[in-house]
Amino acid sequence: MREIDTDVCVVGGGPAGLVLALLMLRSGLGVVVLERARAHQREFRGEILQPGALALLDALGVLTGVRARGARELDRFRFLDGDRVLLEADYRLLPPPYDHLLTVPRPHLLDELLAHCRQSPRFRYLPGRRAGGLLRREGRIAGVVADGPSGRCAVRARVVVGADGRFSRIRRLAGIGAGRTAPRGQDVLWCSLRTEAAAPPPPEVRVVRTPGGPVLLHGSWPDRIQLGWTLPHGHGRALTASGLERVTERLVRAVPEYGGLIRDQLSAPDDLTVVDVFSARAERWVADGLVLIGDAAHTHSLIGAQGVNLAVQDAVVLHPVLTDALAAEDTGAARLAAFERRRGPDIAAVMRRQSLHSRVMHAHGAYATRVRPRLARVLRHTPLYRRALQRVAYGNPSIRITDDRACGWA
């Protein structure tokens, strides 16, 4: 079995894992990233970057390269009931240059981050590797055993970071539970449609109220529309089992302006994906020698497009905690818990907002459809509206990169 020694072993090569890897490398530390996928070619759905993530990626020096690979700007969120705007978040009211959302194919972001990481001789990226176990020494986690195409390897590390998503294997291997924070989740029936030159996608994110449930849609690079139909938990697979034709016709009724594209392009069951969407929070984010970040620590719904934003911010906040712990040669849970103390309140605030927005999306009656939109139009011209928009767009504004050692918590 091949053995590798490093300072930090990151399991999961998504936005959280690679941003953290880049920051640690710039602090002069060795990093190994284990990634289960062999390439970044599979389809991803979370591809919207909030202004908070744009600012941090720009400070890292990767945003220009991400844009050059291909991206599309979106200027607002709108929640619609027919022709009526029930709620709106207009990002054009934010100060430039981060006065928009950016929809980026996930491979573009990951490839750019990888290209920057690979500039360091202390970086090793091992794709196609699945974590099979944790190494332990004197009661603490001290590395990862991983299986891959060339056999098993052992990565010995001073600290392990679980950045391997909402179904985190590292979290399970460490014996850390992660219950859902809501009793029931939702299914999102997802598809991607090619647009026509005569009908380009709108430069915004729309959530359209329909009798069957809200439908989210937005344009993505270079010529596609992402469409997600929100259904009660368990209904997605039941609906797809009823036959593609029935699903297609219900989608056409929900968003008739794209009926032609739906009928033309949804020709096989594989053209639709059912996504189990839920919120959850790990019972703890650290153990001796281990930290969980991103979806491994806290999983969120699709509401408000917060996933990548939170992942990038997690990495920035964790970085100084890790560098200080490694410098002190103390990666015990007590010291690493500073990460959860600093980041936990922000995550709780996002979960509260998503819960509120979910209730608004599913609310009916005169207040929800007539009174609330009028109040929202009035509030748009007040400082309260801009403060609320700033919270959604940036989260905690004090999270920023100040230098290569990245204080991360100004």
Side-chain angles (χ1 to χ4, degrees):
M1 180 170 64
R2 184 166 59 138
E3 297 185 352
I4 302 170
D5 290 298
T6 190
D7 294 310
V8 184
C9 177
V10 178
V11 181
L18 290 181
V19 169
L20 179 66
L22 182 56
L23 288 166
M24 300 304 290
L25 291 165
R26 291 185 175 181
S27 293
L29 294 160
V31 180
V32 171
V33 172
L34 299 172
E35 167 54 44
R36 184 177 59 180
R38 296 193 184 188
H40 295 150
Q41 299 309 309
R42 69 182 178 91
E43 187 176 0
F44 297 88
R45 283 162 291 276
E47 59 178 33
I48 295 179
L49 303 182
Q50 290 277 355
L54 296 179
L56 293 174
L57 293 172
D58 207 6
L60 274 173
V62 302
L63 183 58
T64 298
V66 169
R67 285 182 176 274
R69 292 175 184 268
R72 180 186 291 273
E73 291 187 5
L74 305 173
D75 55 31
R76 58 186 173 176
F77 273 98
R78 290 204 299 165
F79 181 33
L80 306 174
D81 186 357
D83 294 332
R84 286 183 298 158
V85 178
L86 302 183
L87 290 174
E88 181 178 57
D90 192 342
Y91 285 71
R92 294 170 296 185
L93 299 176
L94 295 173
Y98 312 116
D99 53 354
H100 57 273
L101 302 157
L102 196 69
T103 175
V104 179
R106 185 70 66 86
H108 292 190
L109 174 60
L110 301 184
D111 288 344
E112 186 66 19
L113 286 166
L114 264 178
H116 283 258
C117 287
R118 284 174 167 146
Q119 294 174 13
S120 170
R122 303 201 66 188
F123 177 67
R124 297 191 70 171
Y125 182 68
L126 302 178
R129 295 282 181 175
R130 183 175 184 270
L134 294 173
L135 298 174
R136 296 180 184 270
R137 185 174 63 246
E138 298 178 355
R140 62 179 298 279
I141 293 168
V144 179
V145 176
D147 298 302
S150 58
R152 176 166 286 195
C153 71
V155 180
R156 292 191 297 264
R158 298 166 66 194
V159 67
V160 173
V161 178
D164 52 340
R166 59 186 182 149
F167 300 114
S168 170
R169 184 167 177 80
I170 291 298
R171 186 181 64 219
R172 293 198 305 274
L173 290 170
I176 299 174
R180 299 189 181 203
T181 58
R184 290 179 297 177
Q186 297 172 328
D187 287 347
V188 175
L189 194 62
W190 202 277
C191 64
S192 179
L193 305 171
R194 295 183 306 278
T195 60
E196 300 168 345
E204 64 186 23
V205 181
R206 292 179 183 171
V207 179
V208 182
R209 187 198 293 273
T210 77
V215 176
L216 178 146
L217 61 92
H218 65 83
S220 67
W221 189 91
D223 58 355
R224 305 192 76 84
I225 288 177
Q226 302 288 346
L227 190 152
W229 184 12
T230 302
L231 302 165
H233 185 60
H235 287 212
R237 298 196 185 281
L239 183 58
T240 54
S242 69
L244 184 63
E245 182 177 352
R246 184 182 178 197
V247 178
T248 298
E249 290 309 309
R250 289 191 64 176
L251 276 174
V252 170
R253 289 198 298 272
V255 282
E257 65 268 40
Y258 298 109
L261 297 180
I262 292 169
R263 289 194 176 101
D264 289 345
Q265 296 180 37
L266 298 187
S267 57
D270 288 347
D271 294 331
L272 291 164
T273 303
V274 178
V275 184
D276 179 15
V277 176
F278 59 89
S279 296
R281 178 165 172 163
E283 61 189 19
R284 52 194 169 91
W285 296 0
V286 300
D288 291 338
L290 172 71
V291 188
L292 302 175
I293 64 171
D295 280 350
H298 46 82
T299 304
H300 304 266
S301 78
L302 301 178
I303 295 173
Q306 291 293 322
V308 181
N309 205 44
L310 297 176
V312 172
Q313 290 179 333
D314 273 9
V316 173
V317 174
L318 176 58
H319 177 206
V321 175
L322 279 190
T323 53
D324 289 346
L326 291 169
E329 298 186 354
D330 176 8
T331 57
R335 190 177 191 113
L336 297 178
F339 169 61
E340 186 171 1
R341 288 196 300 273
R342 294 178 180 181
R343 192 69 176 130
D346 297 338
I347 299 305
V350 170
M351 287 184 166
R352 287 194 298 270
R353 285 199 299 270
Q354 288 188 326
S355 178
L356 173 62
H357 293 163
S358 178
R359 292 197 296 271
V360 169
M361 284 173 56
H362 292 89
H364 294 277
Y367 179 79
T369 60
R370 298 185 183 280
V371 177
R372 183 182 282 125
R374 292 172 185 162
L375 290 175
R377 285 194 293 272
V378 172
L379 286 173
R380 179 184 170 89
H381 303 287
T382 69
L384 182 63
Y385 179 89
R386 291 178 184 258
R387 286 198 296 270
L389 180 61
Q390 285 272 1
R391 283 198 299 272
V392 172
Y394 283 92
N396 186 337
S398 67
I399 299 173
R400 52 170 112 30
I401 298 167
T402 56
D403 54 39
D404 278 349
R405 194 170 178 275
C407 293
W409 196 264

